[in-house]
Each structure stands twice: as structure tokens, then as C-alpha cells.
Amino acid sequence: MPAFQEKEIEKVLLTLLSLDHDGVRAAAAEAIAVMTGYSSSKSIIAACADMALLVQLLGSKMVKVQESVALILANLTCGNRSVISLIAQEGVTEPLVNLLSHSTGAVVTNAAAVLTNMATEGNLRTDMEQCGAVPALIGLLQARNFQVVRQGVLALTALMVDVDVRTELCSCGGVQALVQLLGSEDESVMRSAAWSITVGAADTQTAVEFTKHGALEVLQALSLSHNRSSGFAQVALQALLNNNLPAKYSLTGVLAPTDIISDGFYDCGPARSLCAMKILCLEELAQQAVNDKRPIIVVNALKPLEYVCIVSDDDDDYDDVDDGDGIDDIVDDYGDSDGACGGGSGNNDDEYKRSFFLNTCINFHVPHYGIICSVWGLIFEG
């Protein structure tokens, strides 16, 4: 390479790209793509290349030119924010997204690699989303070429740091596709999918979606496997549990001091092994027929559930509850009110008090009262 630099071969090859001859362009682009793999030549090419021309050549009719130019941009944008900014100014996002539907695997892989590098910039992630990059990348997850799938997962993962992308992932079938890739026979694809789930599980909504489609069961099976055990799978499993506290409590039986429950938390009972049973979400549990199994406790602090007794929400009545009141005082304040948890003549007084206290804490934001359910060993605040 030093000999090439003395002859300024990089500049000569870049000049050849501007010639109106497809064969010359293809050969020059292929040579430049190889040279950008070396740091010494890469810096020279980054400084001297006509970025507008490179972006234009992505639309070439020659597949070899498209493949080589996409590889050039992938190498140049790796860790180089100035190059990323330059090609973004030339409108590179839309041509790259268009190449994701190309029939040649190498073109698709290189284009996805450029998008992955560009996704480090927040404003460019927004541009990619607006150009339809998310559904296009999700489509790559069904490809037969493992290199295409792996790079598609990496690009999608880079975009998933934005909540809007995670929302689109859930609505476009990306969650199901990523869970299926956990069972891929290619180890790099499996690890990439596990890492993508780790990033995607950054919020409760997406974590629950992964749980709905069986990610917890697959990840636990991978973590326990002697042949396919992976640190990526273990990290992804922990990330899902940390952002899906009902599942974490069901599986482990404990919550950490940093696990703050919120509205919608529920206790569906212990699950000794995810491989033996699936942890159902609240919607799935609500669709089941009434049976003789233990009740499911739901924290519903913001709005009442149809199957929970509703106490009066009159402001004057609510103000009657003082921080120092116990359950008997609360019942005395509310017990005779219309709409309270029916303490009629046919109810046992102790049962009525327990029911009233439970539903009051669940249906109203009463931060000073804890719900202690000793039968199931669950202690939490409403």
C-alpha cells in the first residue's frame, strides 16, 4: 500500500469513476472498495472522494458498480461522522433503502451496512424511518442468505434505540421475525437476534410483545442448552424480565429493589419453568374461562376494571381519608357511601373490610397504603 500512496493510486482510481464507461467504472469501484479496507488508503479516499458521485452511482444499472460503491460507503462511514454527514447531505438515505429490495445479496448486505453506520446519528434515524427503512429491513429477516439476514438484524437493532421504531417493529411483524431467528441454525444470526431483542426490550410495551410471541421460552431454552448456550441469549432473557415484571415475578418469585411496579402489574402465580409453561399476558388471561385456579391480582391504579368493585370517587369522600387512617377508619369513612364495595347485611364484616381495602388501593392512587397479600407472599404498593 505505501507504493500505491506514492503514486497516488487512490486519486487516479477516483478519477476513473467519473468516466462515462461502465466497464471502467466497475473495475475502478471494485479496486477502491478493496483499498478502503486499509486504514492508510481509507483516509485518503475519504478526503478526496466525490461523495455526490458515489451516491449517484448507487443507482447505476450495473450490479457490480452498485455492490462496490455500497461497500465503499460502508467502509468509509464506519466510525467517520464527517463522511456520514457528507453523504447524508447528498440524499443517500432513499437510494440505500431502495437497494434493500435488490435481488443481489451482496448489494443488500452492503447497503444495510451503510444504514447501520448512519443510524448512530439521531436525525438520520428519523430520515430512514420516513423513507420506509423499518419495513424494508424487517423484510430482510425472511431472506435465505444468512449474511443478508444478519446485516438486516444489525441495521434494525441500530434503529431500535428510537421508541417510534420499536412501535413500528411491533406493528409490522418484526417481533415475530426476530423471535423466529433465535432458532436459526446460523450462530451469528441467532446472536444478532438475541442482541436485537435486548435493545428492543428497552420499554415495557415492546418487552410484552416479545413475551407474547414466545421469546422468553426460547431464550431460556437457549440459556440452558449445552450446545447452543450463549451469553447474548442470557442478556436478552434478563432484559425481557427486567421490563416485564409480571413475567419476572412469576418465574423467579422475587423482584429487585430497583423493580418499580406500575399500573397493569399482575401476579398470575409461579411458573417453575418457561419450557414447561408459557406466561400469558393480561389480555390472554382475561379471555380464559372462569376456573377453580387461584385468583390473579391486578394493579389497576388509573382506571377501574369491569370485574373489580368500584368505590366512590367523590372528591369530598376521598379527602376524608387521612394518612394515619387504618382500614377500619377507611371503611367508616366510605362504608355507608353509595357505590362503595357493597357492605350489605349478607356480608361478613372482616371479608367486607378486606375487599374494600384491596379495591380502594387498586382503583385509586393511595401511595401511603400497601397491599399485603400474605396468601401469595406478594407485597406491593398501589
Side-chain angles (χ1 to χ4, degrees):
M1 301 308 292
F4 284 167
Q5 293 171 12
E6 292 176 2
K7 301 294 183 179
E8 296 186 332
I9 297 298
E10 295 90 350
K11 295 181 180 180
V12 173
L13 291 173
L14 289 171
T15 303
L16 295 178
L17 284 179
S18 60
L19 297 180
D20 190 16
H21 189 286
D22 291 336
V24 173
R25 280 179 172 174
E30 188 173 4
I32 295 172
V34 173
M35 297 181 75
T36 53
Y38 297 90
S39 58
S40 55
S41 294
K42 177 180 176 180
S43 58
I44 296 175
I45 295 171
C48 301
D50 183 349
M51 297 301 171
L53 177 60
L54 291 176
V55 173
Q56 180 184 345
L57 290 176
L58 289 174
S60 173
K61 295 181 179 179
M62 289 193 67
V63 175
K64 198 62 183 177
V65 172
Q66 291 177 308
E67 176 185 340
S68 299
V69 171
L71 180 57
I72 292 171
L73 292 178
N75 290 336
L76 293 180
T77 55
C78 184
N80 193 324
R81 299 183 66 179
S82 62
V83 173
I84 291 175
S85 177
L86 288 173
I87 64 174
Q89 292 174 10
E90 300 298 335
V92 74
T93 304
E94 187 172 354
L96 288 173
V97 173
N98 291 337
L99 288 180
L100 295 178
S101 60
H102 202 282
S103 59
T104 304
V107 175
V108 176
T109 301
N110 294 340
V114 182
L115 291 173
T116 303
N117 296 337
M118 293 175 59
T120 56
E121 305 297 322
N123 60 322
L124 298 184
R125 290 196 297 271
T126 302
D127 291 342
M128 294 179 209
E129 185 182 359
Q130 293 175 348
C131 290
V134 176
L137 290 170
I138 291 174
L140 299 184
L141 306 186
Q142 307 295 334
R144 296 181 179 181
N145 186 323
F146 288 140
Q147 288 290 340
V148 171
V149 175
R150 178 179 175 276
Q151 194 59 61
V153 172
L154 293 177
L156 193 60
T157 304
L159 292 174
M160 282 165 57
V161 297
D162 288 347
V163 64
D164 291 339
V165 173
R166 295 196 295 271
T167 301
E168 190 171 0
L169 179 81
C170 296
S171 62
C172 293
V175 170
Q176 299 95 308
L178 287 172
V179 173
Q180 290 176 357
L181 290 179
L182 291 174
S184 174
E185 61 187 38
D186 186 87
E187 290 294 319
S188 65
V189 170
M190 182 271 289
R191 290 193 296 268
S192 299
W195 178 246
S196 185
I197 291 175
T198 302
V199 175
D203 61 79
T204 300
Q205 180 181 356
T206 312
V208 170
E209 286 297 317
F210 278 119
T211 302
K212 283 182 182 179
H213 293 90
L216 282 177
E217 292 83 355
V218 179
L219 288 170
Q220 189 182 49
L222 287 173
S223 299
L224 298 176
S225 173
H226 294 292
N227 298 326
R228 305 199 66 195
S229 179
S230 168
F232 286 91
Q234 295 172 4
V235 172
L237 177 62
Q238 192 60 48
L240 280 184
L241 292 177
N242 287 340
N243 289 285
N244 188 352
L245 296 184
K248 182 176 183 178
Y249 185 75
S250 179
L251 181 64
T252 65
V254 295
L255 294 178
T258 55
D259 293 329
I260 308 301
I261 65 171
S262 59
D263 187 62
F265 177 87
Y266 62 96
D267 172 21
C268 60
R272 296 180 180 178
S273 173
L274 288 173
C275 300
M277 65 174 292
K278 178 182 179 181
I279 297 177
L280 302 179
C281 66
L282 198 57
E283 291 79 5
E284 294 171 323
L285 290 169
Q287 294 173 0
Q288 291 185 338
V290 177
N291 52 48
D292 58 353
K293 296 182 179 180
R294 48 144 288 180
I296 296 169
I297 304 174
V298 182
V299 176
N300 184 44
L302 298 182
K303 57 183 179 180
L305 298 175
E306 294 180 358
Y307 49 83
V308 176
C309 295
I310 309 303
V311 301
S312 172
D313 58 357
D314 183 79
D315 291 338
D316 294 334
D317 289 340
Y318 186 81
D319 290 338
D320 289 337
V321 179
D322 297 323
D323 291 348
D325 286 349
I327 184 170
D328 291 325
D329 298 318
I330 297 175
V331 173
D332 289 339
D333 288 334
Y334 285 96
D336 294 331
S337 301
D338 293 333
C341 295
S345 59
N347 288 351
N348 178 277
D349 187 61
D350 291 337
E351 291 181 358
Y352 165 59
K353 290 180 179 179
R354 285 196 297 270
S355 174
F356 181 86
F357 183 61
L358 174 64
N359 286 291
T360 300
C361 290
I362 287 179
N363 285 287
F364 290 93
H365 182 62
V366 187
H368 299 291
Y369 297 102
I371 303 174
I372 304 178
C373 305
S374 59
V375 176
W376 299 287
L378 174 64
I379 300 179
F380 57 88
E381 289 187 355

